[in-house]
Amino acid sequence: MNRGTARARGKTVIGLLLTGVMLFPVYWMVNVSLTRDQDLRKSPPDLFPAHGTLAGYRTVLHEQLPYLGTSLVVALGTVVLTAALAAPAGYALAKLRPPGGGILSFALLAAQMIPGIIMAMGFYAIYLQIGLLQSVPGLIVADSTLAVPFAVLIFTAFMSGIPGELLQAAQLDGAGALRTFWSIVLPMSRNAVVTVSLFAFLWSWSDFVFANTLVNGGAHEPITLGIYHYIGNNNQEWNAIMATAVVASLPAATVLVLAQRYVAAGVTTGAVKD
């Protein structure tokens, strides 16, 4: 075995060990979700659920499905609203070059630095006046404010790499700016659309600050509040709590796995120019 091969194998082993350490909390969450109540306080605890039970998951399906349904509606609504606002804005900044575009790009960067709690309090004051507190549309709009600045920057970087000759050819054929965007630019920006949609979904799905501020106590609460209330009401049933966390993690993890190759292309496009 030469030195290069040994070094590569050593890096692989180190990488696997670090990955195992980072994923251990996820494994422990699953392990506890399958553990019986009487086995939760064993010392030392079982590394494997020797007497596994699905009681926690039955409790989740009985009590947490409304929260999961609300989260799914809010996340999908956030994805649609974010893409609908950010894609035309990115196209305008990348290809139409409006006056003040540089200032707008800087403002989008600055907007991502505003703490979420400050924005949540601002939304609370506005929603209190217009009657959108404890509503799903209000939460969708609030969650979109987290995703839109990032999404515009992603679309701008991606669409800047689209050859100008294609747009000029469309203009020669009589296509206006809107038709060019819809028929040429948007289909070519599939990777950026998937990237933006993924991040918007994840941000909305995991949001707690906006949810706790704007819809807490209402009829439609997302899963983050469901887990929060569940811990407070059932703080001894850790298998059910962890089962809730596992079920809540599945949609986000599934979307991330399915979209990862599009995300890599969408994030890196525009980073290097020829």
Side-chain angles (χ1 to χ4, degrees), residues 5-270:
T5 302
R7 183 178 301 174
R9 291 186 177 180
K11 291 180 179 179
T12 301
V13 171
I14 294 174
L16 291 175
L17 290 175
L18 292 176
T19 301
V21 171
M22 290 186 290
L23 291 180
F24 182 77
V26 178
Y27 165 74
W28 197 251
M29 178 176 67
V30 176
N31 180 36
V32 173
S33 72
L34 297 172
T35 302
R36 299 181 303 177
D37 290 336
Q38 58 267 35
D39 295 333
L40 289 173
R41 296 177 179 82
K42 289 181 62 176
S43 183
D46 293 329
L47 293 178
F48 303 95
H51 305 284
T53 177
L54 295 176
Y57 290 93
R58 286 192 291 269
T59 302
V60 171
L61 295 177
H62 178 68
E63 299 181 2
Q64 297 292 328
L65 281 183
Y67 297 103
L68 287 168
T70 299
S71 282
L72 186 60
V73 172
V74 171
L76 293 178
T78 301
V79 168
V80 172
L81 182 58
T82 298
L85 294 176
Y91 170 62
L93 290 175
K95 294 301 182 182
L96 303 183
R97 308 291 183 181
I103 297 176
L104 179 58
S105 297
F106 177 79
L108 292 172
L109 286 173
Q112 298 183 80
M113 303 176 188
I114 301 175
I117 187 60
I118 295 178
M119 298 178 63
M121 297 309 298
F123 274 115
Y124 183 88
I126 296 172
Y127 286 1
L128 186 63
Q129 297 296 323
I130 63 177
L132 275 181
L133 280 179
Q134 299 181 345
S135 69
V136 170
L139 187 56
I140 290 174
V141 172
D143 285 339
S144 297
T145 60
L146 295 175
V148 166
F150 172 81
V152 172
L153 296 176
I154 289 293
F155 276 122
T156 301
F158 190 96
M159 293 176 180
S160 295
I162 296 177
E165 291 79 4
L166 290 176
L167 307 186
Q168 293 173 4
Q171 293 172 359
L172 291 176
D173 289 338
L178 182 59
R179 178 64 182 274
T180 301
F181 166 74
W182 184 258
S183 301
I184 297 178
V185 176
L186 198 58
M188 294 183 65
S189 304
R190 180 183 61 178
N191 291 338
V193 171
V194 174
T195 301
V196 165
S197 300
L198 174 65
F199 280 97
F201 185 93
L202 294 178
W203 278 330
S204 176
W205 186 267
S206 61
D207 168 63
F208 177 79
V209 173
F210 285 148
N212 191 44
T213 305
L214 303 177
V215 299
N216 194 2
H220 303 287
E221 295 182 335
I223 189 60
T224 48
L225 288 186
I227 296 175
Y228 179 68
H229 297 325
Y230 198 63
I231 291 176
N233 294 331
N234 304 278
N235 56 10
Q236 300 299 317
E237 299 181 21
W238 285 105
N239 56 353
I241 294 171
M242 292 301 175
T244 304
V246 171
V247 173
S249 302
L250 289 178
T254 302
V255 171
L256 181 59
V257 170
L258 293 177
Q260 60 180 340
R261 68 188 183 96
Y262 299 102
V263 172
V267 171
T268 56
T269 299

